Amino acid sequence: MVPLTDHSGLPLAQRTVLERELAPLTLLQDVVRWGFAHVPPRDVAAVVVQDEFTHDVVVPWEDERYLVFDTT
């Protein structure tokens, strides 16, 4: 499982549900499929290039919150 770093102060119950939902996502392909399985679909909002090997993938989540996946 990839660790979840919460910078928004989610309530424990909501964080636990999110951790459980994100636990199986180990590849960028998993993240994209997970996003498009929602109604409405959650498409990748941005890709931030950190260096030649590392990119942050930003996906809308709830309300005005976003999830950022660190990919290598």
Side-chain angles (χ1 to χ4, degrees):
M1 180 173 126
V2 177
L4 173 70
T5 304
D6 175 15
H7 292 285
S8 67
L10 292 174
L12 182 59
Q14 191 176 23
R15 180 188 164 101
T16 302
V17 168
L18 182 60
E19 285 177 324
R20 196 173 310 126
E21 188 174 346
L22 299 180
L25 309 181
T26 57
L27 302 170
L28 180 55
Q29 176 179 333
D30 298 336
V31 171
V32 172
R33 286 184 177 164
W34 169 83
F36 279 104
H38 287 83
V39 177
R42 296 175 179 160
D43 196 359
V44 171
V47 176
V48 181
V49 177
Q50 300 298 332
D51 60 34
E52 62 184 305
F53 301 108
T54 307
H55 299 69
D56 289 347
V57 177
V58 182
V59 178
W61 180 52
E62 254 183 25
D63 302 320
E64 294 183 12
R65 290 187 170 122
Y66 287 79
L67 300 172
V68 180
F69 297 87
D70 178 28
T71 63
T72 339

